[in-house]
Amino acid sequence: MEKFFKWFIGIFLIFHGGIFLTVGIAILTTISVNEENNYLFFIFPIIGMITLSIGAIILSRNIKNNIRIKKLKVSGEKIKAEVIDIKKTSFQINRIPLCKLVARDEKGNIFYSDMILSNKLNLLYSIGDRVNVLISSENPKNYTVLLDL
């Protein structure tokens, strides 16, 4: 569900930015900008460009993250790690806080999962449980914690 929110926010911002940019350009082409209207009509295309670029950044980060996880599933090393903590973040969705799993492997390396709703996380995992972690063989900082959702 959280992944859906990321995609939805990116698409919504692109759509919203496109509408504002289109309306702003249409307004600017139909009026003449002079000292009377005080360049107020430049606000629409500026808002459109800002929201369009933020939406594009969010979507590109989601796409890159999905590609990274697919590469790790194909060529990454799968290890088991023990959950040592469930950290609450300051973010919320519908007043439900988002949390991260903190896991440690046998070598003492610490791994953090993606953010997930705390009500799902508390049902699935508790401290002491084991989770799967995919680690890149070339770069050990490139990892992902596999959550069974």
Side-chain angles (χ1 to χ4, degrees), residues 2-149:
E2 290 80 18
K3 291 179 183 180
F4 168 75
F5 285 126
K6 291 179 187 177
W7 286 97
F8 176 76
I9 289 170
I11 292 170
F12 175 76
L13 287 175
I14 287 176
F15 180 72
H16 182 266
I19 289 174
F20 264 72
L21 191 60
T22 305
V23 168
I25 290 173
I27 289 173
L28 286 176
T29 56
T30 57
I31 64 162
S32 63
V33 177
N34 55 28
E35 293 179 17
E36 291 177 8
N37 52 19
N38 204 8
Y39 299 101
L40 186 63
F41 295 108
F42 283 110
I43 291 175
F44 279 98
I46 290 172
I47 290 173
M49 286 187 293
I50 290 171
T51 55
L52 189 69
S53 60
I54 290 172
I57 289 169
I58 289 172
L59 280 183
S60 66
R61 288 188 66 189
N62 286 336
I63 290 169
K64 284 181 183 179
N65 192 27
N66 286 345
I67 291 171
R68 181 183 65 85
I69 290 172
K70 285 179 184 176
K71 284 182 182 178
L72 282 174
K73 284 182 179 179
V74 170
S75 64
E77 178 185 346
K78 188 176 184 179
I79 64 168
K80 291 277 191 179
E82 181 181 354
V83 176
I84 58 172
D85 193 14
I86 298 175
K87 285 192 172 186
K88 288 188 178 180
T89 63
S90 61
F91 301 105
Q92 295 181 356
I93 297 177
N94 294 333
R95 296 187 182 181
I96 300 172
L98 293 171
C99 295
K100 287 185 175 190
L101 279 181
V102 182
R104 184 181 348 176
D105 64 354
E106 294 84 24
K107 298 177 185 175
N109 298 325
I110 304 290
F111 304 103
Y112 295 93
S113 72
D114 291 335
M115 287 189 280
I116 186 168
L117 290 173
S118 64
N119 57 357
K120 287 184 183 179
L121 200 59
N122 291 333
L123 291 174
L124 295 174
Y125 296 103
S126 61
I127 295 176
D129 289 347
R130 311 240 346 134
V131 292
N132 293 323
V133 180
L134 293 176
I135 302 176
S136 173
S137 56
E138 297 93 27
N139 184 7
K141 291 184 179 180
N142 186 9
Y143 68 87
T144 186
V145 177
L146 296 176
L147 301 174
D148 300 326
L149 302 176

